[in-house]
Amino acid sequence: MDVNMNILEFKNNQKIKRADIPVMDYESFSKKILPYEVRVINLFAKKEDGKNRLYCIFADDKNKKLFLTTTYVGESYPSLTLSKPCLHLFERLIYEETGIMPEGHPFLKPVRKQEGNTYKFLESHDIQTHEVAVGPVHAGIIEPGHFRFLCNGERVIHLEIQLGFQHRGIEDLLRKRPSIQLAESICGDETIAQSLAYARAMESLSNIEITQREKLIRLIALEMERMAIHVGDIGAVAGDVAYSIGANVLGVTRTLVINTMLELSGSRFGKGLMKFGGVNFDIDLTMRTKILNMLEEVCDRTDKMVEAMFAHATVISRLENTGFVGKKKAREIGLVGMAARAAGEEFDARVFDDYEDFEITTMKTGDVYARTYLRYLEIKKSAKIIKNLLNKLEDTETEINNKRFSLNLEPDCFVFSIVEGWRGEVAHCVMTDKNSYIETYKIKGASFNNWFGLALAVRNNQISDFPVCNKSFNLSYCGFDL
């Protein structure tokens, strides 16, 4: 841990005494986090001793470093969004949750739709423009979200997305009654990523060090989760461009991964695998063989299907130059995860983890093609990582630790845990009070950053291209609503 110029450098999952968290004046605070190269991971506010305190966690991805700093503000402060647009949603949420006004913010739209909200969507008075409203109840069995398109003919001029229809108060629930079962239910298709971030944060605050074997099993499960979703999503993109054989073959191929997870943990999504203080299920020689056989079959099927799919002129014509978000725009709006890497951004939260010689994979074009093909590259990478982790597993303890631990959190401490889920970074920030109770629990998933990216991606595209643009991001409603 290093404190320099009122900024604290720390490591992922490192426990920090709250008394050691630096404070700077607002002018210095804003000057530090506004530069282009500083990537803000989380920005939130809380009341402490009758004063409003802004917390900012940011990263130097190139040098694999995390930083923390804070400042005190009154009931309002000069908005940071005009200089750093990627902070617009953080500041909107601060205003919604605390009432602290970011003065000069261009668009204080509610982040999560609350009961009685009378928000008015953007309108156009051009007689050639019409509105298309979709949701929040959808024809398919998906979660609720409202999409309001402004169109000129078939061309999308603007898309406004309204979420928050199922706000569950997850952060407050975790603060009052923390549990691994609640954490793994934050977002169903991020079960491993969310429960891993929670477990690591709680273990750090409780001074629990898990075995190397259990660390490896957790990472294997995380990469299996990534593989399963990416295989399924390539198939979903294929379905949306009417390439039915791709949708069918890859849909079945995804089942190979999640059925292996079922054999490992008793759940196709990995529920029950993680526990506070380790994992509940081991990977023995039989399970190791099943995972290796699954990897071989999944990679073989995916290789053949992706080769055929991307050699098809009709498929390529629907994917290339559709839903474009370039590198400059991706940085400005704060895209994360595979959506950002598809636009050429070179950051991945796995660099803060226990992977060895990790290399970041990127694409450059920032369109549906790039977001789809990058998923394929991620599948190949995950398979390689899992094989390496399984080899390391042979050199660790012969079995997992079956001991049951109780939460015994240290008082007045702070911890930040970041995990690269398949969509992108999952970040949990926890603070305890003087009595060892959780005082603050803040969660940010990749969907928080990336929904606005989808809105920009469909501009100047045909409205019929929205489904494939949407699938190429595949964002979470509940992971945003929290």
PDB file of all heavy atoms in Angstrom, residues 114-119:
ATOM      1  N   GLN A 114     -38.180   4.530 -10.166  1.00  0.00           N
ATOM      2  CA  GLN A 114     -38.819   4.373  -8.869  1.00  0.00           C
ATOM      3  C   GLN A 114     -40.326   4.578  -9.006  1.00  0.00           C
ATOM      4  O   GLN A 114     -40.807   5.230  -9.930  1.00  0.00           O
ATOM      5  CB  GLN A 114     -38.244   5.381  -7.877  1.00  0.00           C
ATOM      6  CG  GLN A 114     -36.737   5.303  -7.707  1.00  0.00           C
ATOM      7  CD  GLN A 114     -36.282   3.985  -7.142  1.00  0.00           C
ATOM      8  OE1 GLN A 114     -37.009   3.356  -6.383  1.00  0.00           O
ATOM      9  NE2 GLN A 114     -35.088   3.550  -7.514  1.00  0.00           N
ATOM     10  N   GLU A 115     -41.081   4.043  -8.070  1.00  0.00           N
ATOM     11  CA  GLU A 115     -42.540   4.176  -8.101  1.00  0.00           C
ATOM     12  C   GLU A 115     -42.926   5.652  -8.049  1.00  0.00           C
ATOM     13  O   GLU A 115     -42.405   6.436  -7.261  1.00  0.00           O
ATOM     14  CB  GLU A 115     -43.156   3.437  -6.918  1.00  0.00           C
ATOM     15  CG  GLU A 115     -44.669   3.349  -6.986  1.00  0.00           C
ATOM     16  CD  GLU A 115     -45.248   2.485  -5.892  1.00  0.00           C
ATOM     17  OE1 GLU A 115     -44.463   1.845  -5.182  1.00  0.00           O
ATOM     18  OE2 GLU A 115     -46.476   2.474  -5.759  1.00  0.00           O
ATOM     19  N   GLY A 116     -43.838   6.044  -8.923  1.00  0.00           N
ATOM     20  CA  GLY A 116     -44.267   7.427  -8.968  1.00  0.00           C
ATOM     21  C   GLY A 116     -43.423   8.292  -9.876  1.00  0.00           C
ATOM     22  O   GLY A 116     -43.703   9.481 -10.053  1.00  0.00           O
ATOM     23  N   ASN A 117     -42.398   7.701 -10.505  1.00  0.00           N
ATOM     24  CA  ASN A 117     -41.549   8.480 -11.407  1.00  0.00           C
ATOM     25  C   ASN A 117     -42.352   8.895 -12.642  1.00  0.00           C
ATOM     26  O   ASN A 117     -43.012   8.086 -13.280  1.00  0.00           O
ATOM     27  CB  ASN A 117     -40.341   7.637 -11.823  1.00  0.00           C
ATOM     28  CG  ASN A 117     -39.513   8.316 -12.891  1.00  0.00           C
ATOM     29  OD1 ASN A 117     -39.337   9.526 -12.852  1.00  0.00           O
ATOM     30  ND2 ASN A 117     -39.013   7.541 -13.822  1.00  0.00           N
ATOM     31  N   THR A 118     -42.279  10.167 -12.971  1.00  0.00           N
ATOM     32  CA  THR A 118     -43.013  10.680 -14.130  1.00  0.00           C
ATOM     33  C   THR A 118     -42.039  11.163 -15.194  1.00  0.00           C
ATOM     34  O   THR A 118     -42.274  12.167 -15.862  1.00  0.00           O
ATOM     35  CB  THR A 118     -43.938  11.833 -13.714  1.00  0.00           C
ATOM     36  OG1 THR A 118     -43.162  12.855 -13.055  1.00  0.00           O
ATOM     37  CG2 THR A 118     -45.018  11.337 -12.769  1.00  0.00           C
ATOM     38  N   TYR A 119     -40.957  10.445 -15.350  1.00  0.00           N
ATOM     39  CA  TYR A 119     -39.939  10.854 -16.307  1.00  0.00           C
ATOM     40  C   TYR A 119     -40.527  10.952 -17.717  1.00  0.00           C
ATOM     41  O   TYR A 119     -41.296  10.090 -18.161  1.00  0.00           O
ATOM     42  CB  TYR A 119     -38.782   9.858 -16.301  1.00  0.00           C
ATOM     43  CG  TYR A 119     -37.780  10.125 -17.386  1.00  0.00           C
ATOM     44  CD1 TYR A 119     -36.884  11.175 -17.273  1.00  0.00           C
ATOM     45  CD2 TYR A 119     -37.762   9.351 -18.546  1.00  0.00           C
ATOM     46  CE1 TYR A 119     -35.978  11.451 -18.272  1.00  0.00           C
ATOM     47  CE2 TYR A 119     -36.853   9.610 -19.548  1.00  0.00           C
ATOM     48  CZ  TYR A 119     -35.972  10.667 -19.408  1.00  0.00           C
ATOM     49  OH  TYR A 119     -35.075  10.934 -20.409  1.00  0.00           O
TER      50      TYR A 119
END
